[in-house]
Amino acid sequence: MHPDHAGTGLDGELRAALRAADVLEGGPAARAGRRAAETPPAPDHRGVAHLIPGTDTPSAPRAWKRAWRDVLAGESARTTRSGLGWALTSLAGGRFAALDVLEIGCERLRLSRVAYGSDGRGPSTRSLADSAWADLTAEATDRPSPALPERLRRLFLLAGGTGPAAADVTGSLGRALRTFVRGTPLGADPLLVVVRAAGWRPVEQAADALCPEAAPALRLRLPAHWPADPGDLTDALPLRRALWLAAADIDGTSGTVGLVRRPLFPAGSRTGDPAGGDPGAVVRVPVAAPPDGATTGASAAVVVSAGPGDPPSRWLPVRADRLELPPGSRAALHYRLRGPDRVDLAYDGHHEPETAPWTDLAHSMPRRLSRPRPVDLVLAVEVAGPQAGGGTAVEERLQEAATVVAAVGHAVGGGDTLRVGLIGYRDHAPLDRPNDSDPIVHRLGMTTAQAAERALAGWHHSALRHDFATGLEHVPHELAARRHLWRPDSHRVLLVVGSRPPHPRTAPPQVLRRSAAVRICPDRVEWEAALDEARHYDGVSCVAVVDEPAWMDHLEGEPHLARWADRAWDLFGADGRFTAGHDPQRVASAVTAPALCLPEDGAPIRLVVPDGASGEWLHEAAG
């Protein structure tokens, strides 16, 4: 027996055989991907068992189990990543211009150079040399054995086994490793030696004897796994610059189109850090398609790297995806940071890589859209509210509704471009039975914006009779009754200005901390189906301005109420949901933007647009 293996005995041979068989079955990486267990199952050792004398005894199964426990314990004890954070921080901070990474595995050798680009992007990894041990160690492993496949025989020897003929494996590995290093373009950059063979004694000993050919600044030992590149090491690098999602913003009041961006991961973020308050490091971004006539049906979601004050011309694309988004559709994009300047996208719909350069996507956008279609707006206002303060909550709601009507009228211009219909709704009476009363107390057909404003000024406060719901469920059916009033070529909008959600038709949500329960609608009105029909059959856009009651904020105290109400307002605000007191110009933009179309000879908008009224989007000057 060669001195390298002296004293290992049967247990050492068994451990070597198990390590070799484990690599053939995927190694530690495959074990980590399987269902977690207290002790991972041992690999199938039967292919090498007959080479080890003594494995046909009654005690052999116990010996194999004991050897596998030793393999796992040794792998854990000899694995170390200590110092990697210092090396990566030094590279990210500019202390190192580059970092050379020499990876020594149980089957291959690789030298790579990791460095940031001159523009701050990266880091990028460039392979300098790559070779298999089989090309360098033929002198130690060229003794054929008809009983074992070539790869398994080599792995068995490199794991410390002796087999039928002893071989000077460690010496051969050491000479081959020095030959490999001398033939590589090692420079003045610090060297990181990564031994991806923890527990493989001949490989570890050859790596330890590497000096003085290469003096590493840091040495790591990792389990026997060979990734496609050293990205698993650099994933822990912090971001040098923040990552953002770029989008197109359409101002419905003026028709102008500009670029906006939303922060995803700030500078300094690392893989696994919490993001957006989510400990899962996933950022959710709601987006929408550009309006009909201004899109091709596919929109690009582009993640860019940029500093806070960088103009769009200096935004550097990190990831670009082309999403299938028909006009008017919405989507939720979920981004997870996977490494420096690397993000994953989770999206339920079809998407594929966007091949167009970022500059083409950004600079080909039209600067202004035209408005060829008239707008038919139905405004529904909740006129019931608390008596406190003399009913000022309702007065403020009516004033806000009138302000939005004026903003929409200013945006679309004069003439008959805008027509407005009004609906005023209140609570059901406490003892109402089916069809006893009508919660719709004000109806006004399609008229001018000025006439609608005058009508709103004459409406008055109605008593609040229910804490948790009001007669909003009747509004979608009012739309169906007004279907004959829509103009054939108009853009149709339902704008609801209210506070409480509609009464449920059945199965009201559970109230936890309040004495009164949620009443179902006495008329058993099915409002969701009616609203869906208006949206898809009549093409009605739904926008909502909501002054939420206090219990909607108390998710811990009233989770059932809050979720039920939030879902209802999401449906009524499917194309834009705003809080009360929001900028009326932004609300008017959500109302009128879908009516916009491209000017003659204009290019389509190829980027996604923000969904709703999120204040997290930052507006940028074109350039």
Side-chain angles (χ1 to χ4, degrees), residues 202-275:
V203 179
E204 290 194 51
Q205 289 176 346
D208 290 340
L210 182 60
C211 299
E213 277 73 12
L218 183 65
R219 190 189 306 270
L220 308 180
R221 281 187 173 87
L222 303 178
H225 169 59
W226 194 255
D229 56 54
D232 61 328
L233 303 174
T234 59
D235 281 351
L237 273 166
L239 290 176
R240 275 189 164 183
R241 304 201 302 177
L243 298 184
W244 315 71
L245 180 65
D249 178 68
I250 304 171
D251 185 347
T253 59
S254 65
T256 58
V257 182
L259 286 173
V260 292
R261 55 175 167 167
R262 182 199 187 280
L264 297 178
F265 305 100
S269 299
R270 300 174 187 264
T271 303
D273 287 349

Side-chain angles (χ1 to χ4, degrees), residues 363-420:
H363 295 155
S364 63
M365 288 194 313
R367 292 293 175 248
R368 184 181 295 273
L369 299 182
S370 60
R371 187 177 295 102
R373 289 197 295 164
V375 175
D376 283 343
L377 171 65
V378 173
L379 177 63
V381 184
E382 178 184 347
V383 296
Q387 297 284 356
T392 56
V394 173
E395 292 182 7
E396 291 172 357
R397 201 176 297 147
L398 292 170
Q399 291 173 4
E400 183 159 22
T403 302
V404 172
V405 169
V408 173
H410 178 75
V412 300
D416 61 352
T417 308
L418 172 65
R419 296 194 312 167
V420 181

Side-chain angles (χ1 to χ4, degrees), residues 436-447:
D436 272 1
S437 64
D438 186 359
I440 306 297
V441 292
H442 298 291
R443 290 180 175 89
L444 180 65
M446 309 305 287
T447 184

Side-chain angles (χ1 to χ4, degrees), residues 11-321:
D11 286 346
E13 297 289 277
L14 297 180
R15 289 193 294 269
L18 288 169
R19 287 190 175 101
D22 185 42
V23 167
L24 292 180
E25 294 183 8
R31 278 189 263 125
R34 301 186 189 119
R35 181 172 296 179
E38 291 185 5
T39 302
D44 186 359
H45 57 267
R46 289 172 293 182
V48 291
H50 63 284
L51 293 177
I52 307 172
T55 57
D56 55 353
T57 64
S59 63
R62 291 193 300 273
W64 282 110
K65 290 181 180 179
R66 183 174 62 250
W68 180 239
R69 288 196 299 268
D70 292 345
V71 166
L72 295 177
E75 183 181 278
S76 176
R78 297 190 65 80
T79 296
T80 173
R81 301 173 72 96
S82 179
L84 179 59
W86 163 80
L88 297 180
T89 302
S90 298
L91 177 64
R95 179 179 178 184
F96 299 157
L99 189 65
D100 288 343
V101 181
L102 174 60
E103 297 169 273
I104 304 172
C106 57
E107 295 191 271
R108 300 194 67 82
L109 300 168
R110 178 170 59 204
L111 179 66
S112 307
R113 182 160 294 160
V114 181
Y116 285 93
S118 58
D119 56 4
R121 297 183 67 181
S124 60
T125 302
R126 181 165 60 97
S127 179
L128 302 179
D130 194 321
S131 179
W133 277 122
D135 303 333
L136 302 169
T137 60
E139 60 179 276
T141 60
D142 62 357
R143 296 171 176 82
S145 173
L148 277 180
E150 170 65 21
R151 184 187 178 200
L152 181 55
R153 180 174 62 86
R154 185 185 310 110
L155 287 171
F156 180 57
L157 293 174
L158 296 180
T162 58
D168 183 9
V169 177
T170 299
S172 178
L173 292 180
R175 290 187 291 273
L177 181 55
R178 287 190 291 271
T179 300
F180 175 81
V181 170
R182 292 190 186 108
T184 59
L186 277 175
D189 298 313
L191 177 64
L192 171 63
V193 174
V194 183
V195 182
R196 294 186 183 272
W200 294 58
R201 187 163 41 82
V203 179
E204 290 194 51
Q205 289 176 346
D208 290 340
L210 182 60
C211 299
E213 277 73 12
L218 183 65
R219 190 189 306 270
L220 308 180
R221 281 187 173 87
L222 303 178
H225 169 59
W226 194 255
D229 56 54
D232 61 328
L233 303 174
T234 59
D235 281 351
L237 273 166
L239 290 176
R240 275 189 164 183
R241 304 201 302 177
L243 298 184
W244 315 71
L245 180 65
D249 178 68
I250 304 171
D251 185 347
T253 59
S254 65
T256 58
V257 182
L259 286 173
V260 292
R261 55 175 167 167
R262 182 199 187 280
L264 297 178
F265 305 100
S269 299
R270 300 174 187 264
T271 303
D273 287 349
D278 179 4
V282 175
V283 178
R284 179 183 182 274
V285 184
V287 297
D292 190 13
T295 178
T296 61
S299 302
V302 184
V303 178
V304 297
S305 171
D310 289 347
S313 58
R314 297 186 60 188
W315 296 359
L316 303 175
V318 170
R319 179 189 178 110
D321 296 274

